[in-house]
Amino acid sequence: MADWVWLRCLFGPNLYRTHRSVEQSRPGRRVRRRFGWSYQPKSLERHTDSILGWASALWSLSYYSSPLLLCYLYRKGYICSSKLVPVSQYVGTALVCLLGVAFLRGWGRWRNPEYLQFVSVLHEARKNHTPSNKKKLACYDFDFSHWPADFSWKEASNPKLSKAGVSLLKPEPKHRGTADTVLNSMRMLPCHIISFLIAHSFGRRMLYPGSVGLLQKAMRPMLQQGQARLIEEFDGQRNKLVACDGNEIDAMFVDRRREGGRNGNTLVICCEGNAGFYEVGCMSTPLEGGYSVLGWNHPGFAGSTGVPFPQNEANAMDVVIQFAVHKLGFQLSDIMVYAWSIGGFTASWAAMSYPEIKALVLDASFDDLLPLALKVMPDSWRPLVTHTVRQYMNLNNAEQLCKYHGPILLIRRTKDEIITTTGPEDIMSNRGNDLLLKLLQFRYPKVMTDEGIRAVRHWLGATNHVEQASVYSSYEVDDDWCTSVMQSYQTERETMYPWSAQKYLRNFETTHCTPLPSTEFQDPWRLQRAPQGDRRATWKRGMKGMEQKPPVGICCR
């Protein structure tokens, strides 16, 4: 028995923190408060773990610098049998030494009562993953790869996908006359190979820097602190979700339904940016607003496995929604999706695939990745960049957004330096403008003519509320008239669209990475129905108003 326990200590995960709960009496009820402390390893375990940590960091550094390192060694003549044999001996000796260090670390853990208790709880939870065992396991923060799965995509009552993954919108097919022939395929083969290598090497890491292991190691103390805050201050529940592609998704759920607040029954699913983690990301905004919140990390980020390509991202988002519905008990009509920056891709995919959701909020997001990719790459690379993005990183947010007919709120950062194609001082180069325009053109094609587009662009060119109000008044917009026209249209056609262009987008005067205050986060605007007795009068008033020419582009008819 002792031998088995020692082996569990040898191959067990790193333990970072211990959480505990205490019951406190308050007038009329008892409240559970959580607190925690960092795991304190004994001297032997601490030193051996430090050595293994440095070895892991050196391996990561060698991995990312291996192309340059191999070129250097080749030029110096070190890649030959006479040189490689001694090097392999040194490497073998180092590996044997590291193996001995790992055995010593296991011995140090075996002599630590706190680690022994943890590894016993982990073994029992793996053997029998009951709610009581999961509750005991949740008292520890440790290497997430050892956490047992809490939900799988197969558990959904009617799973509509297979291991191939969920469906994505594909790029438009080529026009006739440019169809691939054998000769053309051979000519394009080098381009396909280079695109594949770019996408799977530095391209993916440039697009999602949060997936780089060295960055995660540097941020680990901050992530652990953020996770401890979510668990101990907000009673967060950590979960491992298994997507249809086999990736394990690290998720955190904060339940506010029992607190009796106005927003507690609404679940906000948060989609982070390309270097964002739920531990320190946009989850804090809806949390401060009193919502129930479900955050998750991209594939390859922190505890999540895999790589963040579009297909993997959509698969992860799908299992998160399935978990919210089938395990947490929320209806789709009670779920809002909130995304920051590149998280707009998974959020717009969710809105397209689950049109029953309550609403969608996109903060500092863009319409399409390609213009932003072309901005940072040399002009001579334009054909290659276009092919690579469309084949492997096609983040077509606007195209997906147009498939959703529910309430939408876009938040535009007026000093955004990331999603502008020129600079933060040029607000018209903000790709959030293009996202709004494409959405309006799809929903209101008869209104968004050349004149309507010019009016909306004029309004978008305003950098603050005063300038926007000036543009608004210059078109002599009558809000009461607009509302009566919208209500009459809604009464006649039973449509659920919000109608005013200024209701789709709100400005937030700051840069790209500034956290969004909870006061700026709100449900998208909805057109209120006219009272039952007034619907006929509203319809007549709206039809009379529609005989006049409406203010084009600002109030949509």
Side-chain angles (χ1 to χ4, degrees):
M1 183 66 181
D3 293 339
W4 285 111
V5 174
W6 183 82
L7 286 175
R8 291 173 196 155
C9 293
L10 175 63
F11 296 105
N14 287 329
L15 178 61
Y16 305 121
R17 190 175 178 85
T18 301
H19 311 286
R20 288 292 181 266
S21 301
V22 293
E23 296 284 342
Q24 291 183 336
S25 297
R26 291 188 181 180
R29 60 188 181 122
R30 295 185 64 83
V31 178
R32 186 177 67 171
R33 190 179 71 84
R34 305 190 77 172
F35 64 97
W37 61 88
S38 298
Y39 171 65
Q40 299 296 331
K42 298 293 181 66
S43 177
L44 179 61
E45 182 185 355
R46 183 172 64 254
H47 291 307
T48 53
D49 197 55
S50 177
I51 294 171
L52 293 174
W54 277 105
S56 176
L58 288 174
W59 168 254
S60 298
L61 187 62
S62 302
Y63 173 79
Y64 290 115
S65 61
S66 57
L68 296 176
L69 185 61
L70 288 174
C71 290
Y72 174 79
L73 293 176
Y74 179 78
R75 292 186 58 138
K76 291 294 183 179
Y78 287 106
I79 302 182
C80 60
S81 59
S82 60
K83 300 288 186 180
L84 290 178
V85 171
V87 171
S88 62
Q89 292 176 344
Y90 293 138
V91 171
T93 303
L95 290 177
V96 172
C97 292
L98 289 176
L99 184 62
V101 171
F103 274 91
L104 290 175
R105 184 179 66 174
W107 176 263
R109 289 173 172 176
W110 188 61
R111 294 171 60 87
N112 190 327
E114 186 176 0
Y115 192 89
L116 285 177
Q117 182 182 9
F118 156 69
V119 81
S120 175
V121 170
L122 177 61
H123 175 69
E124 189 63 29
R126 281 178 166 176
K127 188 170 64 174
N128 189 13
H129 196 45
T130 61
S132 60
N133 286 337
K134 180 185 175 181
K135 185 177 179 181
K136 295 177 184 177
L137 188 63
C139 294
Y140 299 97
D141 179 17
F142 57 96
D143 187 353
F144 198 62
S145 61
H146 293 258
W147 188 286
D150 298 294
F151 181 81
S152 171
W153 67 281
K154 297 179 181 178
E155 296 181 36
S157 57
N158 292 303
K160 57 179 181 180
L161 62 154
S162 64
K163 291 185 178 180
V166 298
S167 59
L168 296 177
L169 296 179
K170 302 299 182 182
E172 293 183 3
K174 297 180 179 180
H175 298 290
R176 288 196 174 189
T178 60
D180 286 338
T181 62
V182 175
L183 182 61
N184 190 51
S185 299
M186 294 297 294
R187 183 174 60 85
M188 292 297 295
L189 183 59
C191 182
H192 288 300
I193 294 174
I194 295 173
S195 294
F196 178 86
L197 294 176
I198 289 175
H200 289 79
S201 57
F202 68 87
R204 187 255 299 173
R205 292 173 176 84
M206 286 180 62
L207 186 59
Y208 288 94
S211 64
V212 177
L214 287 176
L215 177 63
Q216 294 184 30
K217 289 180 185 295
M219 293 185 63
R220 181 174 295 167
M222 187 187 307
L223 298 180
Q224 291 174 352
Q225 184 179 2
Q227 188 170 113
R229 172 176 172 268
L230 291 171
I231 293 175
E232 293 167 14
E233 292 186 23
F234 296 99
D235 198 21
Q237 305 165 24
R238 198 178 187 188
N239 297 275
K240 176 182 283 190
L241 319 178
V242 181
C244 60
D245 52 15
N247 288 337
E248 298 172 347
I249 305 303
D250 184 3
M252 178 69 71
F253 172 56
V254 177
D255 194 353
R256 296 284 186 75
R257 285 174 288 188
R258 297 181 180 179
E259 295 182 7
R262 181 171 59 91
N263 298 325
N265 289 325
T266 297
L267 176 68
V268 178
I269 298 179
C270 297
C271 305
E272 300 290 345
N274 65 351
F277 303 81
Y278 73 70
E279 292 91 339
V280 292
C282 62
M283 261 189 83
S284 59
T285 298
L287 275 177
E288 293 173 4
Y291 293 90
S292 296
V293 184
L294 177 59
W296 59 282
N297 281 328
H298 297 283
F301 283 50
S304 297
T305 63
V307 289
F309 282 109
Q311 184 67 64
N312 306 110
E313 288 277 292
N315 293 341
M317 187 68 195
D318 185 75
V319 77
V320 168
I321 294 178
Q322 295 289 345
F323 173 70
V325 173
H326 296 284
K327 195 81 169 184
L328 302 181
F330 286 92
Q331 299 295 320
L332 285 173
S333 57
D334 295 326
I335 295 176
M336 288 177 59
V337 180
Y338 166 49
W340 173 63
S341 190
I342 208 170
F345 172 74
T346 48
S348 58
W349 179 89
M352 173 186 70
S353 304
Y354 295 91
E356 305 93 341
I357 64 172
K358 182 178 182 180
L360 178 65
V361 179
L362 301 181
D363 177 18
S365 196
F366 51 87
D367 63 320
D368 188 8
L369 176 65
L370 183 58
L372 299 174
L374 293 173
K375 177 187 75 170
V376 299
M377 302 302 289
D379 289 339
S380 58
W381 288 31
R382 188 181 187 91
L384 181 61
V385 172
T386 301
H387 183 270
T388 303
V389 169
R390 289 292 178 243
Q391 287 296 121
Y392 300 103
M393 303 172 179
N394 190 32
L395 305 187
N396 49 347
N397 298 354
E399 189 178 359
Q400 294 183 152
L401 192 64
C402 290
K403 303 293 184 182
Y404 175 60
H405 295 168
I408 297 171
L409 174 62
L410 307 179
I411 300 175
R412 180 181 65 166
R413 310 290 183 105
T414 58
K415 300 177 183 178
D416 201 309
E417 72 283 12
I418 302 298
I419 64 167
T420 50
T421 52
T422 56
E425 66 282 349
D426 182 11
I427 195 171
M428 288 308 295
S429 70
N430 189 311
R431 297 304 301 188
N433 300 334
D434 300 87
L435 184 60
L436 174 65
L437 285 168
K438 290 177 180 178
L439 178 64
L440 293 178
Q441 286 177 286
F442 177 81
R443 289 193 169 186
Y444 320 112
K446 294 185 179 180
V447 173
M448 293 300 291
T449 58
D450 291 342
E451 184 182 0
I453 292 173
R454 281 196 299 271
V456 175
R457 284 191 178 277
H458 187 195
W459 181 75
L460 288 171
T463 57
N464 54 55
H465 295 294
V466 176
E467 292 181 10
Q468 283 188 338
S470 176
V471 173
Y472 199 63
S473 62
S474 70
Y475 283 90
E476 300 180 353
V477 179
D478 184 344
D479 284 335
D480 292 336
W481 177 86
C482 287
T483 301
S484 66
V485 172
M486 295 181 224
Q487 287 179 334
S488 66
Y489 196 95
Q490 184 188 49
T491 301
E492 183 183 4
R493 291 171 173 80
E494 297 295 328
T495 181
M496 298 301 293
Y497 280 175
W499 294 93
S500 176
Q502 69 169 354
K503 303 296 185 181
Y504 279 103
L505 183 139
R506 296 185 60 205
N507 279 337
F508 182 38
E509 297 180 14
T510 187
T511 57
H512 186 79
C513 295
T514 304
L516 186 72
S518 59
T519 53
E520 296 291 329
F521 180 83
Q522 55 191 247
D523 285 4
W525 181 83
R526 291 174 173 82
L527 178 65
Q528 299 298 322
R529 284 185 177 276
Q532 184 71 27
D534 296 340
R535 287 190 182 182
R536 186 64 182 174
T538 299
W539 184 84
K540 289 182 178 180
R541 186 168 60 251
M543 291 300 104
K544 183 178 180 181
M546 289 172 70
E547 296 174 359
Q548 310 169 27
K549 183 178 180 181
V552 179
I554 303 297
C555 177
C556 298
R557 174 157 68 95

